[in-house]
Amino acid sequence: MMAPMTAFALNEQLANDCSVVGDLPLCRVLLINDCRFPWAILVPRRAGLVELTDLPPADRARLIEETAEVAAALKKLSGAEKMNIGALGNVVRQFHVHVVGRSEGDDAWPGPVWGAGARVPYAEGAADACARELRRALGL
Amino acid sequence: MMAPMTAFALNEQLANDCSVVGDLPLCRVLLINDCRFPWAILVPRRAGLVELTDLPPADRARLIEETAEVAAALKKLSGAEKMNIGALGNVVRQFHVHVVGRSEGDDAWPGPVWGAGARVPYAEGAADACARELRRALGL
């Protein structure tokens, strides 16, 4: 049977670029396969979201708590100096929030990571190991 | 009398780059003086904030509601196709949230606006006029 049109499905490009960390109450958490930056993505598991304003207020409150939770965990794990948070969606329209650990001298500092050169994939197995580490840090 | 060390003061660079739109319950709303993009900034009026995780949960819930409010108003006023939201702080550490209206073919599309070339100031008086328009749209 086909899934109803309103079912959540992760965008294909996000699925290809990321390892799955796990599911928080609202969001699926992903780790981008780019070893230059500790870089997670949160995707609310609701169909048809494009803008922040498409979420009802209760989901927005949940979203920002989960974003803070992922930011705290990623900062602790990576030792990053500054966390960058962004919801752009100019290329992938499914609503998603980036959480990126930044440090002086990293490959894009002090500019944004989006559009900053080509991704550098993790060595074999290392992306999944990082995703598992973040999963544990989130208590999942 | 000197202000207590804990008083909120707007970062000098943000003050120089922006027109004041007005104050929502938590945040001061600013308009960046760059006519290439409809571009607002929200700054929670609390001293000493750097990361999202420095705000208590009640302020975070308030922040995301005010961000959604500014995004909706700016999208309506500008007719932008997609809103970009970001809290970076690699250069200005005072916690602040960017809300930027984006459209295909704009000066940075589909990349991010941060670090995308030099700002183009509004014509004399136009920044303040836009700030007043946004102020009205926010019911301030």
Side-chain angles (χ1 to χ4, degrees):
Chain A
M1 203 180 97
M2 279 179 64
M5 301 252 325
T6 51
F8 167 75
L10 184 63
N11 170 277
E12 201 171 330
Q13 187 172 334
L14 292 179
N16 287 338
D17 294 347
C18 299
S19 298
V20 175
V21 173
D23 283 356
L24 291 172
L26 176 63
C27 296
R28 180 149 304 162
V29 183
L30 309 169
L31 183 84
I32 289 209
N33 187 14
D34 186 344
C35 67
R36 298 176 302 162
F37 311 103
W39 185 345
I41 288 186
L42 291 93
V43 189
R45 298 193 308 282
R46 303 271 189 263
L49 301 178
V50 174
E51 298 282 8
L52 176 64
T53 46
D54 295 337
L55 284 90
D59 281 355
R60 284 200 289 261
R62 191 64 238 156
L63 172 69
I64 202 162
E65 286 312 295
E66 295 185 2
T67 301
E69 206 178 323
V70 170
L74 207 52
K75 185 167 191 175
K76 195 171 173 188
L77 285 174
S78 66
E81 282 171 41
K82 183 71 191 71
M83 300 311 294
N84 286 182
I85 294 167
L88 288 81
N90 302 339
V91 178
V92 170
R93 288 294 167 105
Q94 179 173 60
F95 183 81
H96 60 286
V97 177
H98 299 263
V99 177
V100 195
R102 306 298 309 278
S103 295
E104 204 178 325
D106 73 26
D107 277 20
W109 188 263
V113 296
W114 307 286
R119 279 195 208 119
V120 179
Y122 283 92
E124 179 81 23
D128 287 340
C130 289
R132 277 196 305 274
E133 207 180 359
L134 180 55
R135 181 182 173 86
R136 269 195 303 272
L138 293 170
L140 294 173
Chain B
M1 204 179 98
M2 282 179 63
M5 303 254 320
T6 51
F8 168 74
L10 184 63
N11 170 276
E12 200 171 331
Q13 189 174 332
L14 292 179
N16 286 339
D17 293 346
C18 299
S19 297
V20 174
V21 172
D23 283 355
L24 291 172
L26 176 63
C27 295
R28 180 149 304 160
V29 183
L30 309 170
L31 184 84
I32 289 208
N33 187 14
D34 185 343
C35 67
R36 299 175 302 161
F37 311 102
W39 185 346
I41 287 186
L42 292 91
V43 189
R45 297 194 308 283
R46 302 270 189 264
L49 300 178
V50 175
E51 298 281 7
L52 176 65
T53 46
D54 294 337
L55 284 89
D59 282 354
R60 284 200 289 260
R62 191 66 238 153
L63 172 69
I64 202 161
E65 285 313 293
E66 295 184 3
T67 302
E69 207 178 321
V70 170
L74 206 53
K75 185 167 191 172
K76 195 171 174 188
L77 285 174
S78 66
E81 282 171 39
K82 182 71 191 73
M83 301 311 293
N84 286 182
I85 295 168
L88 288 81
N90 302 339
V91 177
V92 170
R93 288 295 167 104
Q94 181 174 61
F95 184 81
H96 59 286
V97 177
H98 300 262
V99 177
V100 195
R102 306 299 308 277
S103 295
E104 205 177 323
D106 73 25
D107 277 20
W109 187 264
V113 295
W114 308 285
R119 280 196 207 118
V120 180
Y122 283 92
E124 179 80 22
D128 287 341
C130 289
R132 276 197 304 274
E133 208 181 356
L134 180 55
R135 182 183 172 88
R136 269 195 303 271
L138 293 171
L140 294 174

